[in-house]
Amino acid sequence: MATGDVTSSAKAKYLQIADDLAAQIRSGVLEPGAPVPSETDLMARYSVASGTVRKAVAELRAAQLIETHHGRGSFVRSRPPVQRKSSDRFRRAHRKAGKAAYLAETEQSGGVPSVNVLYVGPVDAPADIAERLDIEPGTKVLARKRRYFRDGVPTEEATSYLPWDIVKDIPEMFADNPGGGGIYARLEEHSHALAEFVETVRARLATKAEASALSLSPGAPVIHLVRSAFSDSGRAVEVCDTIMAADQFVLDYRFAAKD
């Protein structure tokens, strides 16, 4: 048999396994939250090698039918991913209602949000962050690092960097909980009305540290999103560097057509 035939056969096999499991999920044989059969069970059931099973599971994960938690295994997805609407998430109405963007989005998806504050304090601005804030690298800034959860499962980790001259007179910025509406509400209360957000988004594989922090399988995909928030004076008043579990989010962007 030619090498190409072997490759085609192997691909057909893992797609067959993925299709079989997808049919069981959609028919309810495998219910939401149920564990996916183990790698050993699937190898025995289909008489295939471990690599074929892993490719089949990866297909299901890409189709957002299952989710994999490091050290626990794969499970039928029990809830839809958070839909992150760029045109809605930073509305003042959310802040006035006392909700930061992540809390509002997670609740809308039917999940229960929570957050762990990992660090709040001064740091020297890394070069890429300094460039976005239009300051010299190594300039003191305030860093706020958080890990976010939905239904107890970690979904993203974010670090906000804010100019020291702006935050030094806003004591709430140094608290674990900056109050209703989050740090953007506090900025606006102190005469830094937000006018524009600029986001840079790319997909890549998780580093070992990121996979551990978000309970991902080694090499799982993440979304790396960096956002700059600008005040009505045109100054960048925050840069937020965020790593998101790719299977937990749908990014929804809306923008006007231009000539």
Side-chain angles (χ1 to χ4, degrees):
M1 182 181 292
T3 301
D5 293 336
V6 173
T7 302
S8 297
S9 176
K11 182 175 181 181
K13 196 66 178 179
Y14 81 72
L15 289 177
Q16 177 202 339
I17 297 169
D19 286 345
D20 286 352
L21 292 172
Q24 292 178 46
I25 291 170
R26 293 185 174 115
S27 68
V29 173
L30 285 174
E31 297 179 344
V36 175
S38 70
E39 184 177 304
T40 301
D41 288 343
L42 291 173
M43 288 169 60
R45 183 185 305 176
Y46 291 96
S47 301
V48 295
S50 61
T52 302
V53 169
R54 288 171 189 163
K55 288 180 180 178
V57 170
E59 285 287 318
L60 296 172
R61 194 160 48 239
Q64 298 193 350
L65 292 174
I66 68 170
E67 51 194 11
T68 301
H69 303 297
H70 184 61
R72 294 172 51 204
S74 297
F75 299 82
V76 178
R77 182 180 285 279
S78 57
R79 59 201 187 283
V82 173
Q83 190 163 22
R84 185 182 177 281
K85 291 180 175 290
S86 65
S87 59
D88 178 74
R89 72 188 317 257
F90 297 124
R91 289 184 183 275
R92 285 192 177 87
H94 292 319
R95 297 196 287 278
K96 289 180 178 178
K99 292 183 179 180
Y102 181 84
L103 301 183
E105 288 170 342
T106 303
E107 289 176 353
Q108 288 169 3
S109 76
V112 178
S114 58
V115 57
N116 281 357
V117 177
L118 305 177
Y119 175 78
V120 179
V123 299
D124 296 335
D128 57 332
I129 300 299
E131 181 179 3
R132 288 174 176 270
L133 288 173
D134 196 22
I135 58 178
E136 290 295 320
T139 301
K140 183 168 71 169
V141 295
L142 176 67
R144 296 182 54 87
K145 185 173 184 179
R146 299 89 66 201
R147 185 174 299 142
Y148 294 92
F149 298 78
R150 182 168 61 143
D151 299 332
V153 177
T155 58
E156 68 176 78
E157 195 167 270
T159 303
S160 289
Y161 299 90
L162 300 108
W164 193 261
D165 64 300
I166 288 178
V167 300
K168 64 182 177 63
D169 296 322
I170 309 177
E172 297 94 335
M173 291 293 198
F174 295 84
D176 283 0
N177 182 354
I183 61 175
Y184 288 166
R186 303 293 82 75
L187 286 170
E188 295 204 308
E189 288 170 358
H190 288 78
S191 303
H192 299 287
L194 298 172
E196 184 179 29
F197 301 93
V198 177
E199 294 185 338
T200 302
V201 183
R202 68 187 180 104
R204 59 172 174 78
L205 300 182
T207 65
K208 186 175 181 179
E210 291 164 352
S212 176
L214 297 179
S215 299
L216 302 174
S217 301
V222 292
I223 299 167
H224 186 182
L225 185 150
V226 182
R227 178 180 65 255
S228 300
F230 292 89
S231 69
D232 55 4
S233 69
R235 182 180 181 183
V237 294
E238 182 232 17
V239 173
C240 188
D241 192 337
T242 305
I243 301 297
M244 310 163 71
D247 65 341
Q248 296 286 338
F249 294 90
V250 172
L251 305 187
D252 187 340
Y253 290 91
R254 178 180 180 180
F255 43 90
K258 294 185 177 180
D259 294 333

